[in-house]
Amino acid sequence: MDIVFSKWVFAFSLSCCLIFSIALSVEGLHGNSKVRGVNLGGWLVIEGWIKPSLFDGIRNGDMLVQIKSVTLEKYVCAESGGGTDVSVTRDVASSWETFSLWRVSESEFQFRTSQGQFLTCDGEGCVVSATAKSPSTPETFEIERNNDSRVHIKLKSGTYLQATLGNQLTSDYPGMPGWDDNAATFEMAIVANNLHGDYQLANGYGHERAKEVLKRHRNTFITIEDFNFLYRHGINTVRIPVGWWIAFDPDPPAPFIGGSLEALDNALSWAEAYNIKCIIDLHAAPGSQNGMEHSASRDGTTDWPASDYISQTLDVIDFLASRYAKHPALLGIELLNEPSAATVPLDILVPYYKQGYQIVRKYSPTAYVIVCQRIGNADPLELYQANIGLHNIVVDLHYYNLFDTFFVNMSTVDNILFIYKSREAQLQALNNANGPLVFIGEWVNEWNVTSGTQKDYQDFGGAQLEVYNAASFGVF
C-alpha cells in the first residue's frame, strides 16, 4: 500500500512541478494560461476504490448471487434470462442463473434477472416466475441466513419458498424449515460485489445512517485548505463530479442523500477566494450512462438511453446552469462523464449534447460546454464532426493504460512509446481540426506493468505530461 501510494504522490508532484507551455489562452483564466487542474473525485460522487472505508458498516449490500437447492443440487434459473418461468434445473450456473440482489432493508431483497425482470410471487402457493418489469411487494422477499452460505427465502407473509421435485420454485413449504437438507434450504453464493457507489452506500446503510456517513465525508474529504494547497501549487482549475440527484437537494429521490448542493456551493466560494476556476461535471446521470459505480449504477446496467432519463438529465443541466452560470468561479459545465460506446448510441448522445449546449447558452454566452468522449471503442473525431455548438466547446478525452486489455502484455518501453506514437499524433490531429478545443480530463500514472521501477514510473508520468500538455484547452 505504501509503495502504491508513493507512486500516486510522485505523479501528482510531477504534475505540479511541470511548467506548462502556453499555446493559447482559455477565456476566464488569469495570466493567459490553459487549464492546469485536478479532479475532486470521490467527494460528491462516491467511488469505493477511493475511500473503501465508507462501506465498512454495511451488512448485506447489493450484489450478484447464484442460488442452489441443497436437495435437488440444482441452480435456480430464470429461463431465457428473464421474462418467463423460473426453474430449478441447472447443474452449472451462468448468466441465467445469476441475479442482482437489490437490497430493500437488512433482511428484505428483490432479485433481478440478467435481462432486467424481477422474480415475483403473488402469494402463498404461487409458482415463482421472472416476469415483473418493476419491483413492489410481490417482488420483495426476506432472506434468512445461518452461519454459512445457507439461506431461506420467504414471502413477506411468512411463507417459505421451496424447490419442488418438479423443478419449480414455489411458496408452499409447510412450517418452518431447519438448516438440514430440506426443500426450503438453498446455498447462496456471492458472485460479485464490485459496485461501491452512491446507490450502494445510501441503500446499504439506509437513509438516516447514510446521511450521517455522507455528511461526515463531505465535510472532511475536501475542505477550504485543499483549495489553499492547490492555489499554492499553481493549480488554476478543479473539475467537480456531481450526481443528478443534486438538482433535488435537500430531499432527492430515495435512496440518495441530500447535502451535495451545499458542498458544491462551498466549493465555488472557496475557489473564488483562491482565484481557482471550476468545471462542474455531471458524473452520474439518471439511469446510469455506463453501468459503473461512479455513475451511481444500481446493478451494472446502463438505462440512461431509455425512457425519460435524457429529458431528466437535461433538467439537471438546466438547474446547474441557472444556478452557477453567473458565478465568478465557474469556467464550464461538462454535460456527461464517460458515456459508454457499447450502450449509448451516438445518435442518442449527440442530440443530448446539442440540447445541453443550448441550455447552458441560455444562461451564459461564455461558459465552456464540455462534452466527453464515449469510453470504449469510439473515436473522438465523432464529436468533432457533430457540430454540437459554435462557441467555447471542449471535447474531454480520458487517457488510461490501466483499464484496457490492449495494454496488458505491453512492456514499460511499449507503454511509453504508445504515448508518443499514438496519443501525441491524435492530439496533434484534434488540435488542428476545425472544431472544439481538446481537454485531457482524466489520466493516471498507473498501468498493467507489474515490475515497474520508480524510474519506470517517472518516465511514464513524464511522457504523459509532456504529450498531454499539447491539449489546446489543458490537462487535469
Side-chain angles (χ1 to χ4, degrees):
M1 177 64 74
D2 291 340
I3 294 174
V4 173
F5 181 73
S6 69
K7 292 171 181 175
W8 284 85
V9 170
F10 175 80
F12 179 77
S13 300
L14 184 62
S15 69
C16 288
C17 293
L18 188 73
I19 302 300
F20 277 53
S21 61
I22 305 302
L24 84 169
S25 60
V26 171
E27 291 180 28
L29 290 180
H30 297 276
N32 296 321
S33 59
K34 294 192 295 184
V35 162
R36 183 187 186 201
V38 295
N39 287 283
L40 303 187
W43 184 32
L44 304 186
V45 174
I46 298 299
E47 299 183 58
W49 69 270
I50 294 177
K51 193 169 184 183
S53 62
L54 287 173
F55 294 81
D56 285 350
I58 296 176
R59 183 175 181 267
N60 299 344
D62 299 344
M63 59 191 74
L64 290 177
V65 298
Q66 295 165 344
I67 306 164
K68 185 178 183 180
S69 165
V70 299
T71 55
L72 301 182
E73 295 187 346
K74 304 286 185 182
Y75 286 94
V76 176
C77 172
E79 298 291 345
S80 302
T84 180
D85 299 332
V86 169
S87 65
V88 191
T89 55
R90 297 302 199 277
D91 294 321
V92 178
S94 185
S95 61
W96 292 2
E97 297 75 42
T98 302
F99 301 90
S100 298
L101 193 65
W102 282 22
R103 185 185 189 277
V104 177
S105 68
E106 191 166 310
S107 62
E108 293 178 314
F109 295 86
Q110 296 152 346
F111 296 87
R112 193 185 196 195
T113 70
S114 59
Q115 294 298 316
Q117 296 85 5
F118 293 86
L119 299 193
T120 184
C121 181
D122 59 9
E124 185 175 350
C126 80
V127 177
V128 176
S129 66
T131 54
K133 294 182 179 180
S134 60
S136 62
T137 300
E139 293 73 47
T140 302
F141 302 87
E142 184 173 345
I143 295 178
E144 297 177 345
R145 306 171 187 264
N146 71 343
N147 292 327
D148 55 26
S149 61
R150 292 195 170 194
V151 300
H152 298 146
I153 304 171
K154 66 179 182 180
L155 306 184
K156 292 178 72 66
S157 64
T159 303
Y160 288 88
L161 303 187
Q162 67 170 332
T164 70
L165 294 177
N167 299 103
Q168 291 182 316
L169 192 62
T170 61
S171 62
D172 54 3
Y173 184 84
M176 182 174 293
W179 294 108
D180 57 355
D181 293 350
N182 61 72
T185 298
F186 301 86
E187 293 178 349
M188 188 169 74
I190 299 172
V191 180
N193 190 18
N194 54 5
L195 285 179
H196 294 94
D198 279 272
Y199 197 104
Q200 289 74 32
L201 188 148
N203 196 47
Y205 281 116
H207 185 270
E208 290 306 315
R209 176 67 177 135
K211 187 175 180 180
E212 295 174 8
V213 170
L214 282 176
K215 182 177 181 180
R216 183 166 55 250
H217 173 69
R218 291 166 179 166
N219 288 343
T220 59
F221 193 67
I222 298 292
T223 71
I224 191 171
E225 294 304 318
D226 295 299
F227 282 79
N228 183 0
F229 172 85
L230 296 175
Y231 168 76
R232 290 186 286 107
H233 287 81
I235 297 300
N236 62 21
T237 311
V238 291
R239 178 173 176 254
I240 309 176
V242 299
W244 62 269
W245 53 94
I246 196 171
F248 298 87
D249 228 281
D251 297 307
F256 296 101
I257 305 299
S260 57
L261 184 61
E262 179 183 3
L264 183 60
D265 285 345
N266 289 338
L268 269 80
S269 296
W270 299 337
E272 182 183 6
Y274 285 102
N275 206 17
I276 291 173
K277 295 295 184 178
C278 297
I279 292 170
I280 300 174
D281 156 45
L282 185 59
H283 221 66
S288 173
Q289 71 276 15
N290 55 34
M292 299 181 186
E293 66 183 29
H294 63 243
S295 64
S297 175
R298 174 161 194 168
D299 60 4
T301 56
T302 304
D303 294 328
W304 181 77
S307 186
D308 59 350
Y309 287 134
I310 293 176
S311 63
Q312 292 177 28
T313 309
L314 291 168
D315 289 342
V316 175
I317 297 300
D318 191 283
F319 171 82
L320 293 171
S322 64
R323 186 178 182 91
Y324 296 109
K326 305 304 181 184
H327 198 289
L330 184 75
L331 183 64
I333 293 177
E334 186 155 359
L335 300 179
L336 192 64
N337 176 70
E338 293 188 346
S340 167
T343 52
V344 178
L346 192 63
D347 60 1
I348 288 178
L349 181 65
V350 167
Y352 164 74
Y353 277 160
K354 289 183 177 180
Q355 292 176 76
Y357 173 85
Q358 293 299 331
I359 289 172
V360 176
R361 285 289 164 263
K362 180 172 66 173
Y363 297 103
S364 171
T366 57
Y368 284 92
V369 179
I370 302 165
V371 295
C372 190
Q373 174 195 15
R374 294 190 296 169
I375 56 171
N377 188 20
D379 188 336
L381 274 175
E382 66 187 18
L383 297 181
Y384 282 76
Q385 299 163 352
N387 299 316
I388 292 168
L390 298 176
H391 180 61
N392 281 3
I393 284 281
V394 182
V395 172
D396 180 7
L397 308 184
H398 295 177
Y399 280 156
Y400 290 101
N401 287 33
L402 183 60
F403 305 114
D404 191 331
T405 56
F406 176 79
F407 299 97
V408 167
N409 295 317
M410 280 192 179
S411 66
T412 297
V413 172
D414 289 339
N415 272 277
I416 293 173
L417 286 176
F418 182 87
I419 302 298
Y420 285 113
K421 289 184 177 180
S422 180
R423 291 191 178 141
E424 186 170 37
Q426 184 180 66
L427 281 175
Q428 289 174 349
L430 296 177
N431 282 337
N432 293 331
N434 184 21
L437 298 172
V438 63
F439 168 42
I440 311 303
E442 294 184 21
W443 66 278
V444 66
N445 198 40
E446 188 59 277
W447 47 9
N448 291 304
V449 176
T450 57
S451 58
T453 66
Q454 185 182 43
K455 179 65 162 55
D456 291 335
Y457 274 87
Q458 291 171 351
D459 292 343
F460 183 52
Q464 290 186 90
L465 286 165
E466 179 184 346
V467 170
Y468 302 165
N469 178 51
S472 53
F473 186 72
V475 62
F476 269 55

